[in-house]
Amino acid sequence: MKTSIAFLFLIVAVIALSALFRSGDKPAVQALAGLPWQIEILPNGDTKVFGLIPARSTLDEARARFGLDMEIAVIAAPGEPGSLEAYASSVSTGMIMGKIILVADVDRGTVARLRQRAIKSMHMDSSTRKYILHPDDLALACRTLIAGITFIPAVSLYEQTVLRRFGVPGERIRVDERVEHFLYPDKGLDLALDSKGKEVLQYVAPRQFTRLREPLLKVAPVTTQSP
């Protein structure tokens, strides 16, 4: 009896496979999501990348996306008020690994208070210092909106890859002999291509794109390249 049932199942499976091949259908393959070039332009003009919406999503949503162990601290260079940032040294964006830094949209007064109440500070690279938040301030920090997202991929990017994946930029600005910025205002993206170092991708809300472009114009040569 068991042999008859097994034989029946085998016949059904063969028929199903034959129908599948005759129809030309292929088994479904789940598409990768969350890749750096998968930038969704929303109906209101905002953009969504890595599952987050700059100027809309909070640091808490970022922690839910990239892990609750993301470090949140005030980062400040000498003589500067600093900024509230969340950081993860290794995240996966689709199949691309890299570092991610999220800058919170908070006023200077709030940053100063968080910095003053920090439980300790420590040196980072150069003279920049990191101020570890007081535990009572963590909930406030997590509720703040994300002003910008910086992603540093572990793999190197090349010009042809950038053009193929991200499309033709609205503008290209070379700031020195090794770094050229590919600007995508409608996507809120500034992609810095470094011939001798790590590439840096910065995402903001498109309506705030001048925050990325204006600093480049102050240090870049007079000539810029547009398509």
Side-chain angles (χ1 to χ4, degrees), residues 15-27:
I15 294 174
L17 286 173
S18 299
L20 178 63
F21 285 119
R22 284 197 304 270
S23 65
D25 293 336
K26 296 180 180 179

Side-chain angles (χ1 to χ4, degrees), residues 148-168:
I149 303 171
T150 298
F151 179 64
I152 306 173
V155 296
S156 296
L157 301 178
Y158 301 94
E159 179 179 350
Q160 292 305 315
T161 303
V162 171
L163 296 176
R164 185 172 67 253
R165 294 298 188 182
F166 295 88
V168 178

